[in-house]
Amino acid sequence: MSYRLPRRSDRYTRCAAAAEVDAVADGEPVKAQDATRSALAEVTVLERLRGGDERAFESLIDQHSPAMLRLALVYVPNLAVAEEVVQETWLAVVRGVDSFQARSSLRTWIFRILVNRAKSSGMAEPRNLPLSDEAEGDKAERSVVDTARFSGLPRGYWSSPPNHWDELPEDRLLARETMAFIEGAIETLPRVQQAVFRLRDIEHWTSAEVCEALGLTVANQRVLLHRARARMRTAIEEYFDAR
Amino acid sequence: MRVDKVLRGMLMKALALAGLNPWLTCRECVDLVTEFLEGALSPRDRALVLAHLERCPHCPRYIRQIELMIRLVGATATDSDALSPVNRAALLDDFRRHGPRDPDDET
């Protein structure tokens, strides 16, 4: 299969350079519109579910199961357990949908059930993932790029600046090999970072939704995202550096 | 790269060497990138980041790379979306039986 870059107009990629930065503000109303539209769609889905509409349930399963499986894999030791967690989550959704109070969105509610189940299933056989920075959102230390790269004179300025991998042609960036590397790199992120990163930058959830689904504070969520993004950028830089 | 930008970059470093730089260092700028992209900075910090980006030859590239990384990661997602991790028949069956319409006959 071939890979395509999501369009630059994507709301997460708008401020490409300092000169364009102020254009970011122009995008806000669009975001708000999107949110309203999806909130309306959600109310409809919820009503149909409560009315026993199988089609609505099926399309909800199709829509969310792949992302749920990937998120479950962050917490549990293998695919079989992850699949079980996804299945159990849907059963819990069926039983809970009537008492679900639309204080959070439907999908954050579903994913919160998923994460709680995945966490308790994962507890039995912890997966071999770096756990050391599980609570890293609380740490005071913030620098995410190797400090050695700012060690020249004057201090604090790039002595080893980012290399130019962003100028590589698209077919290099999107090569099957690169994509495989990136997928592997995501899997090596510490779990909470990985969960945040997947929901924010792959599923394009808002930070409020991620906080809700994963039970994080806004500040905590942002630090985790910050670290995950920095790690991913560095990983890609090193990958292209090595060839 | 434009000449005036190079000159401003040199001025920034020269001032920094003399301990006088009123702007952010690269390291500080990099540490604020996510808050900057999220629009979560105070107006003052945002202005500081923008002032740094206008002068720095490297940090704008760092931000571009963060954004490009996100787009690349987005491109990987299409790959495994064909996964069907659920036993759909069992779920639908369950939905029919425990369907929420009839909370009364849940005996």
Side-chain angles (χ1 to χ4, degrees):
Chain A
M1 72 167 287
S2 65
Y3 296 95
R4 238 167 20 86
L5 269 183
R7 279 203 314 282
R8 191 168 264 291
S9 61
D10 193 303
R11 62 186 147 131
Y12 293 89
T13 61
R14 220 178 285 113
C15 36
E20 291 168 34
V21 149
D22 280 327
V24 178
D26 300 339
E28 295 307 319
V30 177
K31 212 193 272 184
Q33 263 175 23
D34 281 354
T36 315
R37 202 176 305 134
S38 66
L40 277 175
E42 195 159 88
V43 171
T44 317
V45 170
L46 196 56
E47 272 169 11
R48 289 173 60 192
L49 279 182
R50 286 179 174 159
D53 183 337
E54 283 175 34
R55 283 265 193 73
F57 186 54
E58 263 183 300
S59 68
L60 202 64
I61 293 174
D62 290 341
Q63 193 187 346
H64 293 305
S65 293
M68 288 164 70
L69 184 72
R70 282 192 293 267
L71 193 62
L73 275 168
V74 171
Y75 297 95
V76 304
N78 59 52
L79 191 64
V81 179
E83 285 175 348
E84 215 171 281
V85 167
V86 174
Q87 187 84 13
E88 282 172 9
T89 302
W90 285 119
L91 294 177
V93 167
V94 169
R95 280 158 186 72
V97 74
D98 230 19
S99 52
F100 165 69
Q101 319 231 320
R103 243 176 282 135
S104 57
S105 78
L106 184 59
R107 70 175 181 184
T108 54
W109 176 65
I110 295 172
F111 276 70
R112 203 169 49 204
I113 297 174
L114 175 93
V115 169
N116 287 337
R117 289 189 176 244
K119 274 184 186 164
S120 42
S121 301
M123 221 96 86
E125 295 169 75
R127 198 173 170 218
N128 192 16
L129 265 178
L131 280 168
S132 53
D133 41 4
E134 192 80 20
E136 67 192 317
D138 303 323
K139 281 194 209 154
E141 183 251 311
R142 298 196 47 199
S143 206
V144 285
V145 174
D146 185 357
T147 49
R149 299 187 64 171
F150 303 104
S151 62
L153 276 177
R155 293 287 287 278
Y157 292 81
W158 291 103
S159 51
S160 162
N163 74 28
H164 292 199
W165 65 266
D166 51 310
E167 287 168 8
L168 289 169
E170 258 192 26
D171 60 338
R172 244 340 266 301
L173 293 173
L174 294 171
R176 184 184 298 271
E177 213 193 324
T178 315
M179 292 293 116
F181 169 79
I182 290 175
E183 279 172 20
I186 297 169
E187 282 167 22
T188 65
L189 291 171
R191 10 182 132 195
V192 189
Q193 268 184 39
Q194 193 183 144
V196 170
F197 182 72
R198 284 182 184 279
L199 291 176
R200 287 299 310 279
D201 287 344
I202 300 181
E203 306 302 329
H204 298 315
W205 286 29
T206 65
S207 89
E209 287 176 305
V210 175
C211 290
E212 174 89 39
L214 301 181
L216 299 169
T217 65
V218 175
N220 210 325
Q221 186 267 162
R222 196 178 295 131
V223 172
L224 292 163
L225 179 65
H226 184 61
R227 280 165 199 248
R229 284 179 174 176
R231 273 186 206 234
M232 288 300 296
R233 191 210 65 88
T234 306
I236 295 172
E237 180 178 53
E238 284 167 358
Y239 171 79
F240 285 118
D241 229 13
R243 51 213 62 217
Chain B
M1 189 176 297
R2 298 201 335 264
V3 178
D4 61 331
K5 179 152 187 187
V6 174
L7 288 175
R8 281 197 283 179
M10 286 166 67
L11 176 66
M12 176 170 76
K13 279 193 138 188
L15 284 172
L17 271 172
L20 293 171
N21 187 5
W23 298 292
L24 299 175
T25 64
C26 297
R27 204 178 147 181
E28 289 166 329
C29 182
V30 161
D31 283 342
L32 292 175
V33 160
T34 303
E35 283 161 274
F36 175 70
L37 292 176
E38 303 261 279
L41 288 176
S42 67
R44 183 178 169 276
D45 285 346
R46 184 176 172 79
L48 281 170
V49 169
L50 287 171
H52 180 87
L53 291 177
E54 263 174 43
R55 288 164 180 82
C56 182
H58 306 302
C59 287
R61 180 183 300 279
Y62 182 88
I63 296 187
R64 271 204 303 282
Q65 291 184 348
I66 291 283
E67 292 177 330
L68 181 57
M69 176 278 293
I70 295 169
R71 292 168 69 211
L72 287 175
V73 164
T76 65
T78 51
D79 189 29
S80 38
D81 276 354
L83 282 175
S84 179
V86 293
N87 180 344
R88 187 190 258 281
L91 286 180
L92 284 174
D93 194 44
D94 191 72
F95 184 71
R96 256 171 248 130
R97 278 186 294 121
H98 291 263
R101 292 133 291 169
D102 40 15
D104 302 330
D105 59 49
E106 272 223 14
T107 41

